[in-house]
Amino acid sequence: MEDINNPLPLFLIMYLIVYLTAFFIFFRAWPPDLRPEASSCSISLAHGTPAVFLASYAILSDPTIHFHSPNTPLQNLVLEYSVAYFLMDLLHLFLFSPTDILYIGHHLCTLFVFLTCRYVAYHGAFSILVLLILAEVTSFCQNLWTLAGARRSDLKFAATLYDFLSLPFYALYTVVRGFLAPYFVNQMLVSGAGDGAIPQWVWISWIFVVIVAISVSILWISNLWVSLYRERRKESVKKVM
């Protein structure tokens, strides 16, 4: 029995308003081909950092929390907050980047995990919310880095900000996705499905999706490190010459 009405439609409306406001007001002077990406970053900013604090509070407010504990109403609220974001950003991808199969697949898999936790298993929100925290703790820095990168070719300030953020963002992302997330997934594997508290097929699918997502993230950040090294090396060679 739910203590609160399902707020998913309200969250969807909120993200839609944020997206449209960003597209038609905040980024109206940006080149047309960059406005959709900037608007997507805006809803990501509206989701990421708040989700970290909401998920942390939802976890800490449950004294009986463990890997297989029943979802609390507050934990379900955070799941729906995130479901709304991924639905909104998925719509953005379908409209403006329909060939971006990697991101579309990522969003669909993430929605599968959140929705099965919320509406099928009714347990395990602790695991999913910890993973959400690990995924979104870098969100603020990543979105600023993405926005700066979009304009670094024509705005000096954007280029400076991009260069300033790159190293700390890459380092934080590497620690979180390369070490903390794999460690937590290992703890999930050790804990198992909780003697039937969570359906076996749901638990296995969560583990599979998370491992694939972490692997792709590690590959992505590894490529960025290589690109950064090449750029810095090229700059040093130019200074010497």
Side-chain angles (χ1 to χ4, degrees):
M1 182 177 179
E2 299 292 339
D3 295 331
I4 54 176
N5 293 325
N6 191 321
L8 182 58
L10 291 178
F11 288 146
L12 278 169
I13 293 172
M14 180 198 76
Y15 285 120
L16 178 61
I17 291 173
V18 171
Y19 187 93
L20 294 177
T21 301
F23 191 91
F24 290 107
I25 298 177
F26 292 139
F27 298 109
R28 67 181 183 276
W30 280 41
D33 60 320
L34 296 180
R35 288 169 68 191
E37 181 182 12
S39 302
S40 175
C41 286
S42 297
I43 59 172
S44 181
L45 285 166
H47 169 255
T49 303
V52 170
F53 286 105
L54 287 170
S56 299
Y57 180 71
I59 290 171
L60 295 174
S61 64
D62 184 3
T64 62
I65 198 72
H66 56 80
F67 282 98
H68 319 108
S69 56
N71 302 348
T72 66
L74 182 56
Q75 290 164 3
N76 285 335
L77 180 74
V78 181
L79 290 172
E80 286 158 352
Y81 184 75
S82 293
V83 166
Y85 160 70
F86 281 103
L87 285 173
M88 186 65 230
D89 205 44
L90 191 61
L91 177 61
H92 155 80
L93 290 171
F94 284 144
L95 290 175
F96 296 104
S97 303
T99 59
D100 195 343
I101 304 301
L102 183 61
Y103 268 98
I104 291 174
H106 168 270
H107 282 26
L108 289 173
C109 290
T110 303
L111 281 169
F112 169 81
V113 172
F114 285 148
L115 290 171
T116 51
C117 180
R118 172 66 181 88
Y119 295 108
V120 178
Y122 304 107
H123 291 69
F126 166 69
S127 302
I128 304 308
L129 293 185
V130 170
L131 291 170
L132 175 64
I133 292 169
L134 293 173
E136 298 298 342
V137 72
T138 58
S139 175
F140 181 78
C141 188
Q142 182 173 353
N143 280 295
L144 291 183
W145 173 82
T146 301
L147 289 170
R151 298 301 304 270
R152 66 172 174 154
S153 62
D154 61 314
L155 292 177
K156 185 177 180 180
F157 171 75
T160 302
L161 181 60
Y162 181 87
D163 291 338
F164 175 77
L165 289 174
S166 291
L167 187 58
F169 166 56
Y170 294 179
L172 177 61
Y173 194 97
T174 299
V175 170
V176 174
R177 302 296 181 97
F179 297 96
L180 298 181
Y183 171 79
F184 185 76
V185 172
N186 181 68
Q187 297 302 109
M188 288 177 64
L189 282 167
V190 172
S191 71
D195 296 325
I198 300 173
Q200 193 72 27
W201 69 270
V202 171
W203 187 254
I204 292 173
S205 65
W206 290 356
I207 295 295
F208 175 77
V209 167
V210 172
I211 289 176
V212 171
I214 291 174
S215 300
V216 172
S217 296
I218 292 173
L219 178 61
W220 181 72
I221 196 64
S222 298
N223 289 333
L224 288 178
W225 276 117
V226 171
S227 297
L228 180 64
Y229 171 76
R230 288 174 177 170
E231 288 178 8
R232 297 291 169 89
R233 187 178 180 183
K234 187 182 296 182
E235 290 174 3
S236 64
V237 170
K238 287 181 179 179
K239 289 181 181 178
V240 172
M241 296 176 64

